[in-house]
Amino acid sequence: MNELQFSRQVKARLDEGLALSPETRERLRAARERAVARQRVREPASGTVVAGPHAAARTGGAAQLLVRYALPALILVAALLGFNAWQQANRDALLAVDAEAEEVAQVDAAVLKSDLPIDAYLDKGFQAWLQQFAGSHEDSQRSQ
């Protein structure tokens, strides 16, 4: 039994139980026809009949695909690239303005990478060693 046969059987059962006046039946028939007319499937220019809630999306072709998927993806990629460029420009500006901070950061990184034991950080002579290390690091930077 398909959907059309089922709907006819339901309609027949409902009609059997109703005792409506002819005016009421006529108003219901007119209302039903208006509702069906609003729901009729429109035929696109290509000659194929398309029905369903997403019919326009299936018939749009390449232009619809471009607008729905490719354009938002391109906008997202452009935004990400722009954000990355902005961050890089800010980072470069900060490093260019504060060269001393960059030098201190390089010294800190070299100290952390060295084989210096943890107890050496607590030693009172650490500041002297650090100054000596920073001086030798500056000399090596100048020679490059």
Side-chain angles (χ1 to χ4, degrees):
M1 175 181 302
N2 65 19
E3 191 175 322
L4 184 58
Q5 291 171 338
F6 178 73
S7 64
R8 285 184 181 156
Q9 285 183 353
V10 169
K11 179 189 173 294
R13 298 278 186 233
L14 290 173
D15 286 345
E16 288 174 4
L18 292 176
L20 298 175
S21 66
E23 299 90 29
T24 305
R25 274 190 263 156
E26 181 58 31
R27 281 194 337 230
L28 286 173
R29 186 192 60 75
R32 184 171 48 235
E33 285 178 2
R34 283 193 308 268
V36 169
R38 276 187 244 140
Q39 295 297 322
R40 286 215 171 107
V41 177
R42 294 191 178 141
E43 190 172 321
S46 66
T48 59
V49 176
V50 179
H54 303 290
R58 289 193 303 255
T59 60
Q64 186 74 16
L65 182 67
L66 179 70
V67 171
R68 288 187 75 182
Y69 299 107
L71 189 60
L74 288 173
I75 291 171
L76 179 65
V77 167
L80 289 174
L81 289 174
F83 181 72
N84 186 31
W86 175 73
Q87 268 192 331
Q88 188 65 36
N90 283 345
R91 188 177 304 120
D92 292 344
L94 285 175
L95 291 177
V97 169
D98 200 358
E100 185 178 318
E102 182 181 358
E103 182 180 327
V104 169
Q106 287 178 356
V107 169
D108 287 348
V111 167
L112 291 173
K113 289 180 189 176
S114 71
D115 294 332
L116 191 64
I118 298 289
D119 294 336
Y121 292 110
L122 302 174
D123 189 18
K124 294 189 190 282
F126 176 68
Q127 287 296 327
W129 178 85
L130 186 59
Q131 301 235 342
Q132 177 190 4
F133 183 79
S136 66
H137 185 67
E138 285 178 15
D139 292 340
S140 68
Q141 288 284 333
R142 288 184 199 146
S143 65
Q144 292 177 356

